[in-house]
Amino acid sequence: MDTTSLIGKELAAAINADTKQRAAALAETGAAPRLALVIPNDDPASAWYVKSLNRAAERNGIACENVDLGVDATAEEIRAKLTELSLDPSVDAIMLQTPLPKGVGLDDVSSAIASAKDVDGVSPLSLGLLAAGLPGFPPATAEAVVELAKFHEIPLAGRHVAVVGRSNVVGKPLLQLLLAENATVTIAHSRTIDLPAVTSAADVVVAAVGRAGLITADHVREGAVVIDVGTNEDENGNITGDVNADSVTGKASALSPVPGGVGPVTTALLMRHVVQAAESAR
Amino acid sequence: MDTTSLIGKELAAAINADTKQRAAALAETGAAPRLALVIPNDDPASAWYVKSLNRAAERNGIACENVDLGVDATAEEIRAKLTELSLDPSVDAIMLQTPLPKGVGLDDVSSAIASAKDVDGVSPLSLGLLAAGLPGFPPATAEAVVELAKFHEIPLAGRHVAVVGRSNVVGKPLLQLLLAENATVTIAHSRTIDLPAVTSAADVVVAAVGRAGLITADHVREGAVVIDVGTNEDENGNITGDVNADSVTGKASALSPVPGGVGPVTTALLMRHVVQAAESAR
């Protein structure tokens, strides 16, 4: 079977074209949308991601400010900064970068981000709004999976989707988005017994577990669609997915590449969220 | 195959014995725990449920106040009352009764319940705290399913549980509780294609959809456990479940009865939540 590549570039470009226009309209009538990146680490991968967000913001006409708190920031300091930015009317959107300093949990600080500015949907309230089907920002990675599937005309309503991974940033919010699309959803994880049997029952398999090459042909039934959310760094510094692409190619009907699949769509959706937050605030 | 009845009475009694003791301890050192029931309807089923909560509170040494807002209450009036009770230090716990007046959605008002007093876990923040694994009250019905299974020594970790129903009050929170127990969870609903095939793949089937007798032997594999959350009123005013008990008996290894299964455990957990809220507040 031919395996279609679910490339994200074209969709990301379409989203960005719209975002750029909306950002320009905001800039004309007042100020450009403004995103604050709060950085409480000195992690190279985080620095690389911050740079890519800076560039994406610039390309879209979004003002982006890096708020460096240093690797020794306490939970109180991080919360105080997030609260200050939440109250600052000149800031439209806030993203907190991970990893957090030792001993600080995301849950200790994320609730200090006002949900109207929580463009990556990390706070408990944002998670709850999503679960309740109320207005709020879903985590961009989870949303990117659904948008990528829709763009490539993969039906979700009534279909059985298996999500491997139950994180608060991908697995759990993705489940809510898939239910909203009327999919039947199975959520599997490290404690699942006989993962290949569970995922082979699904029409669509989403790998969001953070283990390079975990999903092989044994996990996928003939003709299934596979979406790879993994971004694992190999020993040479290359990004690889959670799916063993060589193994599933020829058995799956479609597979999203890593890099170049979910990733670019995630960044484009984050920028769209910034513009949406700015539009709502003004 | 013999089908064990997953009766809730004994577990409910054990929970209530503990609750009663803790309520008495609170009353001795200050005041009895206090629950406010906010009633914006004149619905007979709601009135019946309010009476049963009043009795349960009385039996457990919990002060219970019925706040009748009438069937014409507006969303603003309901929110104002919920806010007032949330700020009142003499009130430990708040439950909003449904149905709500015409045109008022639960989502329009539930966020006015302070999460520390939201003993039935209905607000978006409570849903999000549950999803994030943070302290908060889960909806009692969802928690009752898990507690009933544990009491009857039904293993959940690693097992495949199918939940039929995706409501904000049962299906979605139950999913979070089951993931926290390390179950593999499938959530199915009215739009699921081939429901019998989906549920037959599971070790445990939970029916929480509100359609009398929907789940039959065709939906359950030999030896599976079936938990029935349904409370449907038939034409004679009797309560029946979502499971056709005659049909699954002999095929399932265990089935919770309706009434007498999940129901009494739900009420007992609500009363426990009231005491927990009071203990945290003092």
Side-chain angles (χ1 to χ4, degrees):
Chain A
M1 169 176 289
D2 275 356
T3 302
T4 306
S5 188
L6 303 175
I7 292 175
K9 198 175 165 182
E10 199 181 335
L11 171 57
I15 295 169
N16 284 328
D18 173 63
T19 298
K20 202 171 166 176
Q21 206 165 29
R22 289 160 72 178
L26 285 160
E28 251 179 53
T29 57
R34 186 152 159 249
L35 166 66
L37 303 179
V38 176
I39 308 158
N41 63 55
D42 58 0
D43 182 73
S46 171
W48 181 90
Y49 186 52
V50 164
K51 259 190 203 160
S52 82
L53 290 173
N54 290 159
R55 278 195 301 266
E58 196 179 345
R59 275 198 308 270
N60 283 294
I62 291 168
C64 188
E65 173 193 5
N66 297 342
V67 182
D68 207 322
L69 297 185
V71 70
D72 295 323
T74 63
E76 290 69 33
E77 287 163 357
I78 298 169
R79 283 192 69 87
K81 180 52 78 179
L82 294 172
T83 303
E84 180 196 319
L85 294 167
S86 291
L87 295 170
D88 182 343
S90 78
V91 173
D92 297 302
I94 303 168
M95 277 183 73
L96 174 64
Q97 299 305 305
T98 55
L100 300 176
K102 236 182 227 170
V104 179
L106 184 58
D107 295 329
D108 300 331
V109 294
S110 64
S111 62
I113 306 175
S115 66
K117 300 185 182 186
D118 185 15
V119 286
D120 207 13
V122 296
S123 80
L125 181 55
S126 293
L127 258 179
L129 291 170
L130 181 63
L134 293 170
F137 294 110
T141 306
E143 190 183 13
V145 171
V146 172
E147 293 301 316
L148 189 66
K150 284 182 172 179
F151 180 76
H152 288 281
E153 296 180 346
I154 292 160
L156 296 171
R159 305 292 287 276
H160 192 165
V161 182
V163 176
V164 187
R166 53 176 162 173
S167 72
N168 291 343
V169 289
V170 188
K172 286 179 181 175
L174 177 54
L175 171 79
Q176 304 294 351
L177 293 169
L178 290 168
L179 284 177
E181 296 292 332
N182 293 315
T184 300
V185 188
T186 295
I187 188 155
H189 44 77
S190 57
R191 296 287 299 276
T192 293
I193 296 168
D194 200 356
L195 182 62
V198 169
T199 51
S200 294
D203 303 303
V204 178
V205 177
V206 182
V209 73
R211 280 179 56 194
L214 175 74
I215 302 297
T216 65
D218 291 345
H219 294 76
V220 176
R221 81 168 175 222
E222 185 82 23
V225 171
V226 182
I227 300 179
D228 191 348
V229 181
T231 52
N232 312 289
E233 207 177 310
D234 71 11
E235 61 271 25
N236 303 317
N238 296 318
I239 298 296
T240 61
D242 290 349
V243 177
N244 184 327
D246 289 343
S247 175
V248 307
T249 297
K251 192 174 187 190
S253 63
L255 168 65
S256 73
V258 174
V262 171
V265 180
T266 299
T267 304
L269 288 171
L270 277 170
M271 296 302 133
R272 176 154 83 183
H273 290 178
V274 175
V275 166
Q276 287 173 327
E279 288 171 345
S280 300
R282 296 177 190 180
Chain B
M1 167 175 289
D2 275 355
T3 302
T4 306
S5 188
L6 304 175
I7 291 175
K9 197 175 166 181
E10 199 181 333
L11 171 56
I15 295 168
N16 283 329
D18 173 64
T19 298
K20 202 172 166 173
Q21 207 163 30
R22 290 160 71 178
L26 285 160
E28 251 178 51
T29 58
R34 186 152 158 251
L35 167 65
L37 304 179
V38 176
I39 309 157
N41 63 54
D42 58 1
D43 182 71
S46 171
W48 181 89
Y49 187 51
V50 164
K51 261 190 201 158
S52 82
L53 290 172
N54 290 160
R55 278 194 302 264
E58 196 180 343
R59 276 197 308 272
N60 283 294
I62 291 168
C64 188
E65 173 192 3
N66 297 343
V67 182
D68 206 322
L69 297 185
V71 68
D72 296 324
T74 63
E76 290 67 35
E77 286 163 356
I78 298 169
R79 283 192 69 88
K81 178 53 76 177
L82 295 172
T83 303
E84 180 196 318
L85 294 167
S86 290
L87 295 170
D88 182 345
S90 77
V91 172
D92 298 301
I94 302 168
M95 278 182 73
L96 175 63
Q97 300 305 304
T98 54
L100 300 175
K102 235 182 228 170
V104 179
L106 184 58
D107 296 330
D108 300 331
V109 293
S110 64
S111 62
I113 305 175
S115 66
K117 301 186 180 186
D118 185 16
V119 286
D120 207 14
V122 296
S123 80
L125 181 55
S126 292
L127 258 178
L129 292 169
L130 180 64
L134 293 170
F137 294 109
T141 305
E143 190 183 13
V145 171
V146 173
E147 294 301 317
L148 188 68
K150 285 181 170 178
F151 179 77
H152 289 281
E153 296 180 345
I154 293 160
L156 295 171
R159 306 290 288 278
H160 192 165
V161 181
V163 176
V164 186
R166 54 175 161 172
S167 72
N168 291 343
V169 289
V170 188
K172 286 178 179 175
L174 177 55
L175 171 79
Q176 305 293 350
L177 293 169
L178 290 167
L179 285 176
E181 297 291 332
N182 294 314
T184 301
V185 187
T186 295
I187 189 155
H189 44 77
S190 57
R191 297 286 299 276
T192 293
I193 296 167
D194 200 355
L195 181 64
V198 170
T199 53
S200 294
D203 303 304
V204 178
V205 177
V206 181
V209 74
R211 279 180 56 193
L214 176 74
I215 302 298
T216 65
D218 290 347
H219 295 77
V220 175
R221 80 169 176 222
E222 185 81 23
V225 171
V226 182
I227 301 180
D228 191 349
V229 182
T231 52
N232 311 289
E233 209 178 308
D234 71 11
E235 61 272 25
N236 303 318
N238 297 315
I239 299 296
T240 61
D242 289 351
V243 178
N244 183 327
D246 289 342
S247 174
V248 307
T249 297
K251 193 174 186 189
S253 63
L255 168 65
S256 72
V258 174
V262 172
V265 180
T266 300
T267 305
L269 289 171
L270 277 171
M271 297 300 134
R272 176 153 86 185
H273 290 178
V274 175
V275 165
Q276 288 173 326
E279 286 171 347
S280 300
R282 296 179 188 180

